[in-house]
Amino acid sequence: VVSFINATLVLSIGETVEEVQESTSGFLATSSTLCVSLLGDDSLVQVHPDGIRHIKADKRINEWKPPGGKQIHQCAVNQSQVVVSIKGGELYYFELDPAGQLTEVIKKPLGEEVVCMAVGPIPSGRQRSRFLAVADDTKKVRIYSLDPSDCMESLSMQLLPARASSISLIEMGPNNLFLNVGTVNGLLIRASLDVVTGLLSSDTRTRFMGARPVKLFRIKVRDSNGLLALSSRSWLCYNYQSRYMMVPLSYVPLESAANFTSEQCPEGIVCISENMLRIFTTEKLGELFNQTTIPLRYTPRKMITQSTTHSNSLLVMIESDNNEYPLKEKSALVSSNKANDGKKETQDEMDMDKD
């Protein structure tokens, strides 16, 4: 499912790629899509700005629309729970009941605009996830309970160094639940969440991902949970031989990503890069080697590394060529020549007019 500004495209990918019509898929094609997920064993849910569309296996469709003509800004979905936020900081929580109907459970006014949120994975043998993570525009992340006994009660809170751009709750290992927050200034913040009390650990880990706001996507890596962090570079986070790995991908910069499974590609990732739809698989897991190609203007002569105040280092390259102007001087000469050519053409036209 590919979402555009004002439309949604559903594709069937096999030996060929074909578009699926709205009458067949059940998805609303005339609106953008915020989230799509499998709901229960045999139904789908589409969250779009104007409402929630629950698509049954027999193609019957149930819809919910926000009150007062408001629009949905953010959403979080798993296999049986849906949470949406509308303008003004109001949360609406839905659950899939035993009859397979998506029913509204509670409405929660927050008073702050929600910038992103995530609902946790459902533990094995449980009916629902207990935790909801909500980030607002005051640089805070709060953990709320989704348990019927204390539904929408705040359990813990974490201050952020910058406004959140994306958030994810992911289980990596037995009873190991982690909160991952991407920020608008390119940071990834990771903290463990107590699965009993819902308290966030004070031991948070922060890493710089790139120059763009970080987007987080849950994926599968060798049948285990993993996380894809997209910024000016793409990073893969996963467990390998009981160790937590965070490695950059040797691939083009990505805009969005999701799991992809087919007969030809049992464990792949479908992504968008610029205006291209791509499908790839992860290989050589556990290796820390990564390469990036950077075009140079002149012939490289020497390079050194320079430490910075951050955990990263700068790579300084010296380039030179014989009989070459520096870039700034070359650009000035090109601009000057264009200006002189323009004046000459204007003068020639004036002379022709006089003749």
Side-chain angles (χ1 to χ4, degrees):
V1 178
V2 184
S3 177
F4 300 93
I5 295 176
N6 56 359
T8 295
L9 178 65
V10 181
L11 299 174
S12 172
I13 301 178
E15 294 182 358
T16 60
V17 179
E18 299 178 355
E19 182 179 353
V20 181
Q21 299 300 319
E22 181 176 341
S23 58
T24 303
S25 68
F27 289 104
L28 183 64
T30 56
S31 173
S32 62
T33 296
L34 301 176
C35 184
V36 168
S37 177
L38 179 68
L39 206 60
D41 296 327
D42 58 356
S43 63
L44 296 167
V45 64
Q46 176 192 17
V47 182
H48 54 88
D50 295 319
I52 302 173
R53 174 172 280 213
H54 184 200
I55 307 166
K56 301 291 192 67
D58 56 6
K59 300 306 177 184
R60 287 184 297 123
I61 296 174
N62 295 326
E63 291 196 81
W64 176 88
K65 294 185 179 297
K70 297 181 179 180
Q71 287 195 324
I72 298 173
H73 285 196
Q74 302 292 334
C75 64
V77 181
N78 63 17
Q79 291 84 359
S80 69
Q81 297 163 285
V82 178
V83 186
V84 299
S85 72
I86 63 176
K87 190 173 182 180
E90 291 182 340
L91 293 183
Y92 290 83
Y93 171 48
F94 301 82
E95 269 192 17
L96 197 66
D97 63 20
Q101 298 294 328
L102 194 63
T103 58
E104 182 179 337
V105 177
I106 193 173
K107 169 187 171 183
K108 173 76 172 180
L110 299 181
E112 305 289 349
E113 290 292 345
V114 176
V115 294
C116 54
M117 58 182 175
V119 62
I122 301 175
S124 178
R126 299 290 183 89
Q127 183 181 353
R128 65 179 63 86
S129 170
R130 191 191 168 199
F131 303 114
L132 170 71
V134 179
D136 58 38
D137 58 0
T138 62
K139 303 179 185 179
K140 296 176 184 176
V141 176
R142 289 183 172 87
I143 303 297
Y144 291 94
S145 171
L146 296 179
D147 193 82
S149 61
D150 57 352
C151 192
M152 284 298 173
E153 292 294 325
S154 179
L155 301 176
S156 58
M157 187 265 290
Q158 174 76 47
L159 292 173
L160 302 175
R163 187 168 61 87
S165 56
S166 184
I167 193 169
S168 177
L169 284 171
I170 184 170
E171 188 177 34
M172 305 191 77
N175 294 323
N176 290 326
L177 190 61
F178 291 92
L179 171 71
N180 294 271
V181 182
T183 65
V184 294
N185 60 350
L187 297 179
L188 176 60
I189 302 167
R190 182 172 183 258
S192 62
L193 179 65
D194 192 298
V195 295
V196 177
T197 63
L199 296 177
L200 287 166
S201 169
S202 59
D203 181 21
T204 60
R205 305 297 174 93
T206 303
R207 184 160 182 173
F208 181 70
M209 296 283 101
R212 299 189 316 200
V214 179
K215 301 177 184 178
L216 303 177
F217 301 91
R218 287 189 295 189
I219 59 171
K220 286 289 184 180
V221 180
R222 289 189 177 176
D223 205 31
S224 298
N225 294 326
L227 190 70
L228 200 58
L230 307 183
S231 181
S232 53
R233 299 183 70 182
S234 302
W235 296 77
L236 182 63
C237 310
Y238 62 99
N239 280 339
Y240 182 77
Q241 296 180 349
S242 301
R243 292 179 56 197
Y244 181 72
M245 308 287 289
M246 183 185 294
V247 295
L249 293 180
S250 296
Y251 204 54
V252 296
L254 306 177
E255 300 293 334
S256 183
N259 271 331
F260 178 80
T261 302
S262 70
E263 293 181 359
Q264 296 84 3
C265 183
E267 192 177 89
I269 299 171
V270 59
C271 59
I272 294 176
S273 175
E274 296 181 344
N275 60 345
M276 296 288 293
L277 186 68
R278 301 170 181 262
I279 299 173
F280 68 94
T281 59
T282 54
E283 298 178 351
K284 299 181 180 180
L285 297 177
E287 295 187 11
L288 298 180
F289 177 78
N290 178 267
Q291 67 178 22
T292 302
T293 301
I294 302 174
L296 302 178
R297 296 191 183 100
Y298 310 106
T299 303
R301 303 296 180 181
K302 190 175 181 180
M303 65 179 181
I304 60 172
T305 57
Q306 179 181 358
S307 300
T308 65
T309 54
H310 303 288
S311 58
N312 300 320
S313 297
L314 297 177
L315 182 64
V316 181
M317 182 82 67
I318 300 175
E319 309 169 42
S320 68
D321 278 323
N322 291 328
N323 300 321
E324 280 285 345
Y325 288 103
L327 180 63
K328 186 179 292 186
E329 190 173 344
K330 184 188 293 186
S331 301
L333 288 172
V334 171
S335 300
S336 177
N337 289 336
K338 287 182 178 179
N340 291 333
D341 290 344
K343 290 179 180 178
K344 185 177 179 181
E345 290 178 1
T346 303
Q347 185 63 43
D348 291 343
E349 291 175 356
M350 292 175 64
D351 293 341
M352 292 177 64
D353 291 340
K354 290 180 180 179
D355 294 341

